[in-house]
Short mmCIF file of all heavy atoms in Angstrom, two decimals:
data_model
loop_
_atom_site.label_atom_id
_atom_site.label_comp_id
_atom_site.label_asym_id
_atom_site.label_seq_id
_atom_site.Cartn_x
_atom_site.Cartn_y
_atom_site.Cartn_z
N ASP D 8 -22.11 1.37 7.24
CA ASP D 8 -23.44 1.84 7.62
C ASP D 8 -23.88 3.05 6.81
O ASP D 8 -24.46 4.02 7.32
CB ASP D 8 -23.50 2.18 9.11
CG ASP D 8 -23.33 0.95 10.00
OD1 ASP D 8 -23.49 -0.18 9.49
OD2 ASP D 8 -23.05 1.13 11.20
N GLY D 9 -23.60 3.01 5.52
CA GLY D 9 -24.04 4.08 4.63
C GLY D 9 -23.10 5.25 4.53
O GLY D 9 -23.33 6.14 3.71
N ALA D 10 -22.08 5.29 5.36
CA ALA D 10 -21.10 6.37 5.30
C ALA D 10 -19.91 5.93 4.48
O ALA D 10 -19.16 5.03 4.90
CB ALA D 10 -20.68 6.77 6.70
N ARG D 11 -19.72 6.51 3.31
CA ARG D 11 -18.58 6.15 2.48
C ARG D 11 -17.46 7.15 2.70
O ARG D 11 -17.62 8.35 2.49
CB ARG D 11 -18.94 6.11 0.99
CG ARG D 11 -17.71 5.79 0.11
CD ARG D 11 -18.06 5.19 -1.22
NE ARG D 11 -18.69 3.89 -1.15
CZ ARG D 11 -18.06 2.75 -0.92
NH1 ARG D 11 -16.73 2.74 -0.69
NH2 ARG D 11 -18.71 1.60 -0.89
N ILE D 12 -16.30 6.64 3.12
CA ILE D 12 -15.13 7.47 3.39
C ILE D 12 -14.21 7.47 2.19
O ILE D 12 -13.69 8.51 1.80
CB ILE D 12 -14.40 6.96 4.65
CG1 ILE D 12 -15.36 6.82 5.84
CG2 ILE D 12 -13.24 7.91 5.00
CD1 ILE D 12 -16.06 8.09 6.24
N LEU D 13 -13.97 6.28 1.60
CA LEU D 13 -13.10 6.14 0.45
C LEU D 13 -13.72 5.13 -0.52
O LEU D 13 -14.61 4.36 -0.15
CB LEU D 13 -11.71 5.65 0.87
CG LEU D 13 -10.85 6.62 1.69
CD1 LEU D 13 -9.60 5.89 2.20
CD2 LEU D 13 -10.47 7.85 0.88
N ALA D 14 -13.23 5.10 -1.74
CA ALA D 14 -13.65 4.12 -2.73
C ALA D 14 -12.89 2.82 -2.52
O ALA D 14 -11.78 2.80 -2.00
CB ALA D 14 -13.41 4.66 -4.14
N PRO D 15 -13.47 1.68 -2.95
CA PRO D 15 -12.78 0.40 -2.79
C PRO D 15 -11.39 0.38 -3.42
O PRO D 15 -10.45 -0.17 -2.85
CB PRO D 15 -13.72 -0.59 -3.47
CG PRO D 15 -15.07 0.04 -3.36
CD PRO D 15 -14.83 1.50 -3.49
N GLY D 16 -11.25 1.00 -4.60
CA GLY D 16 -9.95 1.00 -5.25
C GLY D 16 -8.90 1.76 -4.47
O GLY D 16 -7.71 1.43 -4.52
N THR D 17 -9.32 2.76 -3.74
CA THR D 17 -8.39 3.54 -2.93
C THR D 17 -7.86 2.70 -1.77
O THR D 17 -6.68 2.73 -1.43
CB THR D 17 -9.06 4.81 -2.41
OG1 THR D 17 -9.60 5.54 -3.51
CG2 THR D 17 -8.07 5.69 -1.65
N ILE D 18 -8.76 1.93 -1.14
CA ILE D 18 -8.34 1.04 -0.06
C ILE D 18 -7.35 -0.01 -0.61
O ILE D 18 -6.33 -0.31 0.02
CB ILE D 18 -9.55 0.34 0.59
CG1 ILE D 18 -10.55 1.36 1.13
CG2 ILE D 18 -9.10 -0.61 1.69
CD1 ILE D 18 -10.02 2.24 2.24
N GLU D 19 -7.67 -0.53 -1.79
CA GLU D 19 -6.77 -1.53 -2.38
C GLU D 19 -5.39 -0.91 -2.66
O GLU D 19 -4.36 -1.57 -2.47
CB GLU D 19 -7.39 -2.06 -3.67
CG GLU D 19 -6.58 -3.17 -4.32
CD GLU D 19 -7.25 -3.73 -5.57
OE1 GLU D 19 -8.41 -3.34 -5.86
OE2 GLU D 19 -6.62 -4.56 -6.25
N LEU D 20 -5.38 0.34 -3.10
CA LEU D 20 -4.10 1.01 -3.35
C LEU D 20 -3.32 1.17 -2.05
O LEU D 20 -2.11 0.92 -2.02
CB LEU D 20 -4.36 2.38 -3.98
CG LEU D 20 -3.15 3.25 -4.27
CD1 LEU D 20 -2.27 2.59 -5.35
CD2 LEU D 20 -3.58 4.64 -4.72
N MET D 21 -3.97 1.54 -0.97
CA MET D 21 -3.30 1.70 0.31
C MET D 21 -2.72 0.39 0.81
O MET D 21 -1.65 0.37 1.41
CB MET D 21 -4.27 2.25 1.37
CG MET D 21 -4.77 3.63 1.13
SD MET D 21 -5.80 4.22 2.50
CE MET D 21 -4.56 4.53 3.76
N ALA D 22 -3.43 -0.70 0.55
CA ALA D 22 -3.04 -2.01 1.09
C ALA D 22 -2.16 -2.80 0.14
O ALA D 22 -1.96 -3.99 0.34
CB ALA D 22 -4.29 -2.81 1.44
N SER D 23 -1.64 -2.16 -0.89
CA SER D 23 -0.71 -2.79 -1.82
C SER D 23 0.72 -2.46 -1.43
O SER D 23 1.00 -1.41 -0.84
CB SER D 23 -0.98 -2.31 -3.25
OG SER D 23 -2.27 -2.65 -3.68
N ASN D 24 1.64 -3.34 -1.74
CA ASN D 24 3.04 -3.08 -1.46
C ASN D 24 3.58 -1.98 -2.37
O ASN D 24 3.51 -2.09 -3.60
CB ASN D 24 3.86 -4.36 -1.64
CG ASN D 24 5.34 -4.13 -1.41
OD1 ASN D 24 5.72 -3.38 -0.52
ND2 ASN D 24 6.18 -4.77 -2.20
N HIS D 25 4.12 -0.92 -1.78
CA HIS D 25 4.68 0.19 -2.55
C HIS D 25 6.20 0.26 -2.49
O HIS D 25 6.79 1.20 -3.02
CB HIS D 25 4.10 1.52 -2.06
CG HIS D 25 2.68 1.75 -2.49
ND1 HIS D 25 2.34 2.60 -3.52
CD2 HIS D 25 1.51 1.21 -2.04
CE1 HIS D 25 1.01 2.59 -3.67
NE2 HIS D 25 0.50 1.76 -2.77
N LEU D 26 6.83 -0.73 -1.88
CA LEU D 26 8.29 -0.71 -1.78
C LEU D 26 8.92 -1.17 -3.08
O LEU D 26 8.49 -2.15 -3.69
CB LEU D 26 8.76 -1.60 -0.63
CG LEU D 26 8.24 -1.24 0.77
CD1 LEU D 26 8.88 -2.14 1.81
CD2 LEU D 26 8.49 0.22 1.09
N THR D 27 9.96 -0.47 -3.51
CA THR D 27 10.65 -0.82 -4.72
C THR D 27 11.59 -2.00 -4.49
O THR D 27 11.91 -2.37 -3.36
CB THR D 27 11.47 0.36 -5.24
OG1 THR D 27 12.51 0.66 -4.27
CG2 THR D 27 10.60 1.59 -5.43
N ASP D 28 12.05 -2.59 -5.58
CA ASP D 28 13.02 -3.68 -5.47
C ASP D 28 14.29 -3.20 -4.77
O ASP D 28 14.92 -3.95 -4.01
CB ASP D 28 13.37 -4.22 -6.86
CG ASP D 28 12.20 -4.93 -7.51
OD1 ASP D 28 11.24 -5.29 -6.80
OD2 ASP D 28 12.23 -5.13 -8.75
N ILE D 29 14.67 -1.95 -5.01
CA ILE D 29 15.87 -1.40 -4.37
C ILE D 29 15.71 -1.37 -2.86
O ILE D 29 16.60 -1.79 -2.11
CB ILE D 29 16.16 0.02 -4.91
CG1 ILE D 29 16.60 -0.05 -6.37
CG2 ILE D 29 17.22 0.72 -4.08
CD1 ILE D 29 16.75 1.32 -7.02
N VAL D 30 14.57 -0.90 -2.40
CA VAL D 30 14.33 -0.82 -0.96
C VAL D 30 14.28 -2.22 -0.34
O VAL D 30 14.86 -2.46 0.70
CB VAL D 30 13.02 -0.05 -0.68
CG1 VAL D 30 12.61 -0.17 0.78
CG2 VAL D 30 13.16 1.40 -1.09
N MET D 31 13.60 -3.14 -1.02
CA MET D 31 13.43 -4.47 -0.44
C MET D 31 14.71 -5.31 -0.52
O MET D 31 14.84 -6.32 0.17
CB MET D 31 12.26 -5.20 -1.12
CG MET D 31 10.93 -4.47 -0.93
SD MET D 31 9.50 -5.35 -1.58
CE MET D 31 9.15 -6.51 -0.26
N ALA D 32 15.64 -4.87 -1.34
CA ALA D 32 16.93 -5.59 -1.45
C ALA D 32 18.02 -4.96 -0.59
O ALA D 32 19.14 -5.46 -0.57
CB ALA D 32 17.39 -5.62 -2.91
N ALA D 33 17.68 -3.89 0.14
CA ALA D 33 18.68 -3.21 0.96
C ALA D 33 19.17 -4.12 2.08
O ALA D 33 18.43 -4.98 2.57
CB ALA D 33 18.10 -1.93 1.54
N PRO D 34 20.42 -3.97 2.49
CA PRO D 34 20.93 -4.76 3.62
C PRO D 34 20.05 -4.55 4.86
O PRO D 34 19.65 -3.43 5.16
CB PRO D 34 22.34 -4.19 3.84
CG PRO D 34 22.72 -3.57 2.53
CD PRO D 34 21.44 -3.05 1.94
N ASP D 35 19.76 -5.65 5.53
CA ASP D 35 18.92 -5.60 6.73
C ASP D 35 17.55 -4.98 6.47
O ASP D 35 16.98 -4.30 7.33
CB ASP D 35 19.64 -4.82 7.86
CG ASP D 35 20.97 -5.43 8.23
OD1 ASP D 35 21.06 -6.68 8.29
OD2 ASP D 35 21.93 -4.66 8.46
N ALA D 36 17.01 -5.20 5.27
CA ALA D 36 15.70 -4.65 4.94
C ALA D 36 14.64 -5.14 5.91
O ALA D 36 14.55 -6.33 6.21
CB ALA D 36 15.31 -5.04 3.52
N ALA D 37 13.85 -4.22 6.42
CA ALA D 37 12.78 -4.58 7.34
C ALA D 37 11.68 -5.35 6.62
O ALA D 37 11.01 -6.22 7.21
CB ALA D 37 12.20 -3.33 7.98
#
């Protein structure tokens, strides 16, 4: 409604996976 809080690219950055291969390969990785 005309109120801009963040830029589209910033939202895309937030909603991207930031976990490394090391973290995602950990035993019992969530």
Side-chain angles (χ1 to χ4, degrees):
D8 293 344
R11 177 157 296 283
I12 308 300
L13 293 171
T17 306
I18 302 297
E19 184 177 354
L20 179 65
M21 294 184 74
S23 298
N24 177 39
H25 285 257
L26 301 185
T27 65
D28 292 343
I29 291 174
V30 170
M31 298 185 82
D35 301 320

